[in-house]
Amino acid sequence: MNIHEYQARELFEKFGVATTRGAVASTPDEAVAVAQGLGTKEFVVKAQIHAGGRGKGTFQNGFKGGVHITDSVEKVRELAGQMLGQVLVTHQTGPEGKLVSKVLIAEPATIAKELYFAILLDRASGAPVIIASTEGGVDIEHVAEHTPEKIFREPIHPTLGLQAFQTRKIAKALGLTGKQITAASKLFSAMFKLFLARDCSQIEVNPLVITKTGELLALDAKFNFDDNALYRQPEILALRDKSEEDPREVAASEFSLNYIGLDGNIACLVNGAGLAMATMDIIQHAGGKPANFLDVGGGASKDQVTAAFKIILSDPNVQGILVNIFGGIMDCNIIATGILAAAKETALSIPLVVRLEGNNVEAGKKTLAESGLAVISANDLDDAAKKIVAAVKKAA
Ligand code: GDP
Ligand code: MN
């Protein structure tokens, strides 16, 4: 799960990570009120979306940039008016962009140097790792590709945590000296505490800045939380903004289905993540393109199967469905009944290939055969993939 920058700043404040003062607004009037409340000479107005690259982004109405600095409250009103309700496209949003419904108004920092700082979960070592660079503010992927020597990695021991010598080492690698090393150590420690306490999988601060007066401040923040830990993070879960997520994935999560939307045209409904991966591979192997990853789990109910079908069919790119069930815990007849209910409710009109195997398979096959539904049945995975690819080609 991701959160907005304004929410990230609230977490920063709570954990003592230094950042600039600011608040969020949903209307130009609110933006003006926030600006007046700040009482500063200048203001930075920042579009709030779950994506980076806002500064260099362009709105679909042609307005350039999702991050602006201005010196008048009236300009704040104007900028908020240009951004709110508009779609911002950045290199991270994809061409469809993201709708801006909130803007952050903050006191601008005077920047002497922009740095990069992130804490990630390193799957290779199974522990957190700090990534830092003197080349902040810019695209870090670009730095990694062209000047990898400017990226510094510090692995963190999983139980000892971030040690004082490490925070100093990172600060020095970033070229900090004197009092800044102390300030940086404090900031890194606070950030690491936050990372652990809130079950983050990523905190990326780009830029972390040194101001002209020598202060160290986090000016931007991208968070990622471990979805599997959200049950024990009610405070984080409350920050979820469903309008930023793929609506298909939101619907799936409501029915505890594991769904990831892809851009092909053959939908698959499978039980088990491994089988789902194999099904996607074999669709591709047969010359098709999967429209999604969908794992209904080991003990799906009829309602879940119906919900899964509806989610699949709400995707306009879907031209055919492959159901691949290996009934271990799963009763094949439940899947069959779910398919029937869903096909009725959605007036299914695209090819459907079903491969059922395992627990109570005969009953499942019988249910489908007697339904009068135009189901193409398949004997094995290979057969199923070939049949759905052929059926979609024929229908097109
Ligand atoms: P992003 O483009 O989505 O990553 O948004 P950022 O929050 O990183 O802002 C983009 C750029 O705007 C930063 O790299 C800075 O150069 C600039 N910027 C953001 N906030 C401030 C600020 O408070 N003061 C100044 N001077 N520049 C800022
Ligand atoms: Mn940034």
Side-chain angles (χ1 to χ4, degrees), residues 5-6 9 22-25 44-48 102-106:
E5 180 193 10
Y6 77 91
R9 284 163 168 259
V24 74
V44 54
V45 182
K46 306 177 81 174
Q48 299 295 289
K102 288 190 168 67
V103 289
L104 172 82
I105 319 296

Side-chain angles (χ1 to χ4, degrees), residues 54 206-207 220:
R54 294 164 301 170
N206 189 20
D220 186 15

Side-chain angles (χ1 to χ4, degrees), residues 44 46 52-55 67 69 107-109 111 114 137 206-207 219-220:
V44 54
K46 306 177 81 174
R54 294 164 301 170
V67 178
I69 295 181
E107 164 188 26
I111 301 178
E114 298 191 58
N206 189 20
L219 275 205
D220 186 15

Side-chain angles (χ1 to χ4, degrees), residues 38-229:
L38 286 173
T40 46
K41 276 204 213 119
E42 289 190 318
F43 312 95
V44 54
V45 182
K46 306 177 81 174
Q48 299 295 289
I49 52 170
H50 282 190
R54 294 164 301 170
K56 293 202 170 99
T58 305
F59 286 85
Q60 274 175 357
N61 64 3
F63 185 67
K64 284 223 180 322
V67 178
H68 286 268
I69 295 181
T70 177
D71 57 5
S72 91
V73 170
E74 268 323 297
K75 277 270 174 58
V76 168
R77 182 193 299 282
E78 234 176 75
L79 286 166
Q82 297 270 26
M83 296 185 193
L84 289 165
Q86 300 298 327
V87 173
L88 177 58
V89 181
T90 80
H91 71 273
Q92 286 187 7
T93 61
E96 69 281 7
K98 284 199 178 264
L99 179 69
V100 177
S101 43
K102 288 190 168 67
V103 289
L104 172 82
I105 319 296
E107 164 188 26
T110 55
I111 301 178
K113 176 124 186 67
E114 298 191 58
L115 308 169
Y116 177 93
F117 182 87
I119 310 175
L120 313 172
L121 209 55
D122 178 21
R123 289 183 192 276
S125 64
V129 61
I130 287 179
I131 311 277
S133 175
T134 49
E135 309 305 297
V138 289
D139 194 353
I140 196 69
E141 287 81 6
H142 186 86
V143 181
E145 198 179 321
H146 299 278
T147 45
E149 70 282 0
K150 290 188 172 160
I151 294 190
F152 180 79
R153 285 173 63 94
E154 183 69 14
I156 312 299
H157 191 281
T159 55
L160 294 178
L162 180 61
Q163 304 285 300
F165 80 89
Q166 292 181 296
T167 59
R168 285 195 298 272
K169 190 167 145 195
I170 301 160
K172 281 180 190 159
L174 289 175
L176 303 177
T177 50
K179 267 199 238 155
Q180 281 172 356
I181 295 183
T182 318
S185 292
K186 196 171 151 241
L187 191 143
F188 301 160
S189 303
M191 195 102 76
F192 189 71
K193 211 167 150 194
L194 167 56
F195 182 86
L196 289 187
R198 292 296 177 266
D199 290 311
C200 301
S201 50
Q202 179 190 15
I203 302 180
E204 183 185 58
V205 179
N206 189 20
L208 170 73
V209 300
I210 308 173
T211 67
K212 291 204 171 129
T213 52
E215 271 182 297
L216 208 65
L217 299 172
L219 275 205
D220 186 15
K222 192 174 165 198
F223 273 70
N224 230 300
F225 299 90
D226 182 348
D227 288 347
N228 292 319

